[in-house]
């Protein structure tokens, strides 16, 4: 959605952004590929060729989120184009982001992929192959198929990630906060072991105190990153955003881990949301740019 809002032309906004904002359609961002280490966007192997009035797309993407949603209507596909204008600056001017309506011929949605066994229905994450997929240069409704311009895809992917990452962190903090809340309720009502109630056990109290501190540290760093992006945009906030991309999912995951421990057997059962949170937060250390890459 933020791609259309930030980089779309007026017709693209009318065709795609308006229904996205109204919630009547959904989009998916298709960058990651099965066959190449996609942490480095320079490796992307999907090709976009200009032929007559059309672009032809070939590529093998996976873990593309949102494709299973009933309102899913459009892909934003990152591929590479061979362009005359590239000259020596080729590496960062090869990428192009193209709008591909979901019902275009040649798109094979191969299978839904799991996250620790969860299918994340109904939006899901999918393996998708593009076989000679043809879209008109002018777009299906005259809006133009390319976002920003041929060879400007790198610019778009760099610009889209800042606000999205802050959003992921906010949701992670919310998950950890809820996990802590249900844990406190559980501990307060659980009774005694070896003559002492769980809520007055010093080991348990320390575990909760550590979790509270971890969570608030992560929250304050997220506030700082949000302030920086408000002050100077994604470029100025690059460092704090990279920091929260690493710190927040780690901290939230550790807090949920403590909460699972403090629930005993119930912590790994299907009777609480904790295993679901744990899987989601662990996955965030990989999705949306891996933590290791942000540290490097
Ligand atoms: C649930 C989920 C949803 C996703 N949704 C989407 C989506 O909607 N659209 C999309 O395009 N992608 C999506 N992804 C893919 C995700 O963005 C990629 O998995 C991620 O960017 C890493 O790419 P890769 O899997 O190719 O790992 P690789 O690039 O093969 O890297 C493997 C590992 O090597 C390490 N590594 C790589 N480079 C370095 C480095 N320079 N320094 C240190 N360590 C390094 C990292 O730890 C990395 O995990 C999703 C993934 C998941 C799990």
């Amino acid at each position: 959605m933020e791609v259309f809002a930030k980089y779309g032309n007026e017709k693209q906004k009318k065709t795609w952004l308006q229904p996205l904002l109204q919630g009547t359609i959904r989009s998916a961002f298709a960058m990651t590929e099965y066959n190449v280490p996609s942490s480095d966007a320079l490796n992307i192997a999907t090709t976009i060729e200009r032929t007559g009035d059309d672009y032809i797309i070939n590529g093998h993407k996976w873990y593309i989120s949102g494709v299973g949603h009933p309102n899913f209507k459009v892909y934003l596909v990152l591929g590479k184009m061979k362009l005359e204008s590239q000259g020596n600056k080729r590496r960062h001017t090869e990428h192009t982001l193209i709008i591909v309506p979901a019902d275009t011929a040649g798109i094979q949605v191969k299978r839904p992929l799991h996250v620790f066994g969860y299918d994340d229905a109904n939006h899901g994450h999918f393996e998708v192959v593009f076989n000679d997929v043809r879209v008109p240069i002018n777009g299906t409704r005259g809006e133009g198929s390319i976002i920003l311009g041929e060879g400007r895809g790198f610019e778009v992917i760099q610009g889209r990630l800042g606000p999205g990452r802050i959003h992921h962190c906010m949701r992670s903090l919310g998950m950890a906060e809820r996990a802590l809340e249900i844990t406190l309720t559980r501990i307060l009502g659980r009774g005694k072991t070896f003559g002492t109630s769980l809520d007055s056990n010093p080991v348990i109290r320390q575990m909760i105190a550590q979790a509270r501190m971890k969570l608030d540290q992560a929250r304050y760093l997220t506030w700082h990153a949000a302030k920086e992006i408000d002050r100077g945009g994604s470029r100025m906030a690059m460092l704090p955003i990279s920091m929260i991309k690493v710190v927040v999912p780690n901290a939230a995951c550790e807090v949920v881990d403590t909460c699972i421990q403090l629930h005993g057997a119930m912590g790994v059962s299907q009777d609480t949301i904790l295993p679901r949170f744990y899987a989601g937060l662990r996955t965030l250390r990989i999705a949306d740019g891996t933590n290791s890459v942000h540290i490097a």
Side-chain angles (χ1 to χ4, degrees):
M1 186 140 37
E2 61 249 71
V3 167
F4 285 114
K6 202 165 169 190
Y7 298 105
N9 63 35
E10 285 316 306
K11 281 187 178 166
Q12 288 167 346
K13 284 184 184 166
K14 190 158 181 256
T15 310
W16 301 111
L17 182 60
Q18 273 184 17
L20 280 167
L21 288 170
Q22 284 157 357
T24 51
I25 70 165
R26 295 281 194 117
S27 63
F29 187 80
M31 171 176 147
T32 304
E33 299 190 358
Y34 189 78
N35 293 313
V36 298
S38 306
S39 298
D40 184 353
L42 293 177
N43 291 327
I44 293 307
T46 292
T47 56
I48 304 171
E49 273 178 80
R50 201 178 168 141
T51 315
D53 292 336
D54 296 329
Y55 292 109
I56 312 242
I57 303 145
N58 279 288
H60 185 170
K61 304 284 187 182
W62 85 326
Y63 272 98
I64 307 309
S65 301
V67 172
H69 195 278
N71 293 350
F72 171 64
K73 286 285 182 284
V74 63
Y75 294 92
L76 284 164
V77 179
L78 188 72
K80 279 183 179 168
M81 288 186 80
K82 289 203 169 68
L83 297 169
E84 294 279 320
S85 56
Q86 278 158 356
N88 292 333
K89 287 193 267 165
R90 188 150 174 190
R91 277 165 68 78
H92 290 91
T93 55
E94 284 177 318
H95 297 72
T96 295
L97 194 63
I98 188 162
I99 302 167
V100 183
D103 56 2
T104 313
I107 300 176
Q108 186 194 0
V109 178
K110 279 188 85 172
R111 57 174 174 150
L113 295 157
H114 287 181
V115 174
F116 289 113
Y118 294 103
D119 61 8
D120 285 353
N122 55 8
H123 64 277
H125 317 282
F126 285 77
E127 184 171 355
V128 186
V129 177
F130 295 81
N131 280 316
D132 287 331
V133 172
R134 191 178 278 265
V135 292
I137 290 173
N138 291 331
T140 44
R141 289 165 228 176
E143 77 279 27
S145 281
I146 302 290
I147 299 281
L148 200 61
E150 292 176 350
R152 299 189 65 184
F154 210 85
E155 245 174 276
V156 180
I157 58 167
Q158 292 284 336
R160 78 174 262 273
L161 287 173
R165 284 182 176 145
I166 291 185
H167 195 239
H168 274 314
C169 288
M170 287 158 58
R171 283 190 295 113
S172 304
L173 291 167
M175 284 186 232
E177 194 66 63
R178 184 161 162 219
L180 207 48
E181 206 176 285
I182 61 172
T183 303
L184 292 179
T185 308
R186 167 97 176 155
I187 292 299
L188 285 169
R190 188 69 177 147
K192 293 183 177 181
T193 57
F194 310 105
T196 310
S197 63
L198 294 189
D199 62 77
S200 48
N201 180 307
V203 174
I204 292 178
R205 291 178 76 89
Q206 260 196 36
M207 285 165 81
I208 289 170
Q210 293 287 358
R212 177 79 266 156
M213 289 189 283
K214 210 167 276 171
L215 190 49
D216 282 356
Q217 283 171 347
R219 188 194 309 282
Y220 288 122
L221 197 56
T222 306
W223 270 338
H224 171 64
K227 254 199 204 155
E228 288 299 279
I229 205 168
D230 274 351
R231 218 157 57 95
S234 299
R235 197 169 282 275
M236 183 159 157
M238 220 156 74
L239 196 61
I241 286 171
S242 267
M243 285 183 194
I244 59 168
K245 173 67 191 69
V246 176
V247 168
V248 177
N250 280 351
C253 204
E254 284 169 25
V255 168
V256 172
D257 184 273
T258 298
C259 295
I260 288 173
Q261 189 68 24
L262 291 176
H263 269 77
M266 187 178 259
V268 292
S269 76
Q270 67 273 45
D271 285 358
T272 76
I273 190 92
L274 296 173
R276 186 71 199 82
F277 282 172
Y278 189 79
L281 291 165
R282 179 63 187 83
T283 305
L284 260 190
R285 285 158 62 185
I286 296 171
D288 205 16
T290 74
N291 279 12
S292 342
V293 168
H294 280 273
I295 289 171

